[in-house]
């Protein structure tokens, strides 16, 4: 069985870093991007109803519930609406105390996007909340005021046309009220939530005889724990080349242009957390760490 030398390891290191970063951030990236697309397209569809409401209700003694019904009626006329990436907003309705935006997903071969959303639904919910808070849209506020006053929740129903799987994400009254009050989670709380969502999927095979066995926030840093198969790797050899390993990580982060990687680095800086890679032998249990300080993270961000 051929053992991988330190030189072999570094030859494939850019790929390894790429896999690690994509795994830790890829789900958040997809969810964030699609959250933005869903909320933007959805609002474009039914915010057109707001002008109609202002013209027809401003001088009328109509109840909040009647105003909400008008928004739903006008918004539904815009369906189906193509949201891109195989997603279509197919319905917009009030049902059992909830305003539901229904989105159907046509997944490509090998994809299971709705299952990915199911696996990361807590993060998806928080992305929706954050997206609405950051949007600071007056029309969103008007709609949510009506939902709160009529005690209706807000739901996003994702339905896969390929697998038949479904996911209903619900923003409850407390969520809507938080959005209205613009009470956004601070950076540390958001970081903790994202970490827990990734950690829940560990262990995860990264290929190249490596497994991400933990992803956690310690006292002063975010730790990505990677267990190396010692039938292929020598932890001792990698320890000797620790400084080179660190420089490779820094170079790859500087060269990368993924906005979600940059966002993670910024969040770590904001919360004064280091970025730590911990390498552990599968048999010996020996380990060593490569640590990027807050100062080094700032330098990486400034190089962009």
């Amino acid at each position: 069985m051929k053992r991988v030398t330190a030189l072999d390891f570094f030859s494939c290191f850019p790929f390894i870093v790429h896999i690690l970063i994509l795994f830790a951030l890829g789900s958040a990236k997809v969810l964030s991007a699609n959250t933005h697309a869903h909320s933007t397209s959805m609002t474009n569809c039914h915010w057109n109803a707001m002008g109609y409401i202002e013209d027809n209700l401003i001088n009328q003694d109509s109840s909040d519930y009647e105003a909400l019904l008008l928004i739903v009626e006008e918004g539904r006329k815009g369906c189906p609406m193509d949201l891109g990436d195989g997603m279509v907003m197919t319905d917009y309705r009030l049902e059992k105390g909830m305003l539901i935006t229904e989105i159907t997903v046509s997944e490509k071969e090998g994809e299971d996007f709705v299952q990915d959303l199911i696996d990361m639904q807590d993060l998806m919910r928080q992305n929706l909340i954050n997206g609405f808070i950051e949007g600071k849209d007056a029309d969103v506020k008007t709609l949510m005021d009506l939902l709160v006053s009529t005690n209706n929740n807000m739901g996003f129903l994702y339905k896969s046309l390929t697998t038949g799987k479904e996911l209903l994400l619900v923003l409850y009254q407390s969520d809507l009220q938080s959005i209205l009050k613009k009470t956004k989670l601070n950076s540390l709380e958001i970081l903790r939530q994202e970490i827990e969502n990734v950690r829940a999927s560990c262990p995860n095979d990264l290929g190249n005889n490596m497994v991400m066995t933990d992803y956690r926030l310690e006292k002063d840093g975010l730790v990505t724990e990677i267990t190396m198969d010692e039938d292929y790797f020598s932890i001792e050899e990698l320890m000797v080349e620790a400084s080179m390993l660190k420089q490779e990580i820094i170079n790859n982060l500087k060269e990368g242009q993924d906005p979600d990687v940059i966002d993670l680095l910024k969040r770590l800086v904001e919360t004064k957390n280091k970025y730590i890679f911990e390498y552990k032998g599968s048999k010996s249990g020996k380990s060593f760490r490569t640590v990027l300080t807050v100062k080094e993270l700032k330098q990486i961000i400034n190089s962009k």
Side-chain angles (χ1 to χ4, degrees):
M1 184 177 295
K2 182 181 182 295
R3 287 175 62 83
V4 179
T5 66
L7 182 61
D8 294 329
F9 178 78
F10 285 111
S11 69
C12 64
F13 188 78
F15 169 78
I16 293 168
V17 171
H18 178 71
I19 291 296
L20 287 171
I21 296 298
L22 281 187
F23 179 82
L25 297 172
S27 296
K29 175 183 176 183
V30 170
L31 295 176
S32 296
N34 284 291
T35 296
H36 177 74
H38 298 164
S39 59
T40 300
S41 299
M42 180 269 291
T43 52
N44 287 342
C45 178
H46 67 249
W47 292 153
N48 293 330
M50 299 308 297
Y52 175 88
I53 290 172
E54 291 175 356
D55 293 340
N56 291 276
L57 297 180
I58 193 166
N59 295 316
Q60 296 182 28
D61 186 22
S62 297
S63 70
D64 288 347
Y65 186 72
E66 289 171 328
L68 181 59
L69 286 177
L70 283 172
I71 290 179
V72 174
E73 180 184 348
E74 290 299 306
R76 199 173 196 182
K77 290 177 182 178
C79 297
M81 172 179 282
D82 187 4
L83 304 179
D85 295 324
M87 289 176 284
V88 177
M89 177 175 158
T90 47
D91 201 7
Y92 187 63
R93 63 185 182 271
L94 273 177
E95 181 178 289
K96 298 180 180 178
M98 187 181 304
L99 173 60
I100 295 178
T101 300
E102 182 179 289
I103 301 168
T104 57
V105 183
S106 298
E107 295 160 317
K108 297 177 183 178
E109 185 177 353
E111 289 184 349
D112 200 349
F113 182 70
V114 172
Q115 183 61 51
D116 290 340
L117 295 184
I118 292 171
D119 293 340
M120 303 287 284
Q121 57 187 289
D122 289 340
L123 178 58
M124 184 64 171
R125 278 191 76 258
Q126 192 57 56
N127 281 345
L128 283 168
I129 293 170
N130 291 343
F132 281 125
I133 290 174
E134 293 168 0
K136 300 181 186 295
D137 192 301
D139 291 331
V140 173
K141 184 178 185 301
T142 299
L143 173 66
M144 292 188 176
D145 275 331
L146 292 174
L147 290 174
V148 169
S149 66
T150 58
N151 198 33
N152 279 282
N153 298 321
M154 177 182 278
F156 295 84
L157 178 62
Y158 296 88
K159 304 174 72 172
S160 170
L161 296 178
T162 308
T163 65
K165 295 177 181 177
E166 296 185 2
L167 170 65
L168 176 62
L169 290 173
V170 181
L171 300 188
Y172 298 98
Q173 289 291 298
S174 59
D175 300 317
L176 300 177
Q177 291 168 15
S178 293
I179 293 168
L180 289 171
K181 294 175 182 177
K182 302 296 189 289
T183 52
K184 182 181 176 182
L185 288 176
N186 64 44
S187 294
L188 183 57
E189 290 171 324
I190 295 172
L191 179 63
R192 283 174 174 161
Q193 287 189 356
E194 291 174 346
I195 289 171
E196 284 307 309
N197 278 290
V198 174
R199 190 180 195 186
S201 61
C202 292
N204 191 274
D205 188 358
L206 301 173
N208 292 297
N209 304 297
M210 292 180 290
V211 176
M212 186 166 84
T213 43
D214 202 5
Y215 191 71
R216 63 186 181 273
L217 189 63
E218 293 188 350
K219 182 178 179 180
D220 62 349
L222 169 60
V223 179
T224 299
E225 180 185 284
I226 306 135
T227 297
M228 319 286 286
D229 188 338
E230 289 183 293
D231 286 334
Y232 296 89
F233 292 103
S234 167
I235 290 295
E236 288 82 1
E237 285 186 21
L238 292 178
M239 284 180 182
V240 172
E241 303 294 344
S243 60
M244 186 187 298
L245 177 59
K246 177 175 179 176
Q247 191 57 52
E248 286 289 336
I249 293 175
I250 290 173
N251 292 343
N252 276 276
L253 290 174
K254 282 184 175 179
E255 292 168 5
Q257 298 298 320
D258 192 311
D260 288 285
V261 174
I262 298 172
D263 285 345
L264 173 65
L265 300 184
K266 288 180 178 178
R267 193 162 292 151
L268 290 173
V269 169
E270 289 171 5
T271 57
K272 296 181 173 56
N273 277 289
K274 301 171 186 176
Y275 199 175
I276 303 166
F277 291 86
E278 181 175 89
Y279 300 90
K280 181 181 292 185
S282 60
K283 294 181 178 179
S284 67
K286 294 180 179 179
S287 66
F288 72 98
R289 289 185 167 193
T290 298
V291 181
L292 304 188
T293 66
V294 173
K295 181 178 179 180
E296 288 168 331
L297 295 178
K298 286 181 180 178
Q299 292 172 344
I300 293 169
I301 293 168
N302 292 335
S303 71
K304 301 295 183 182

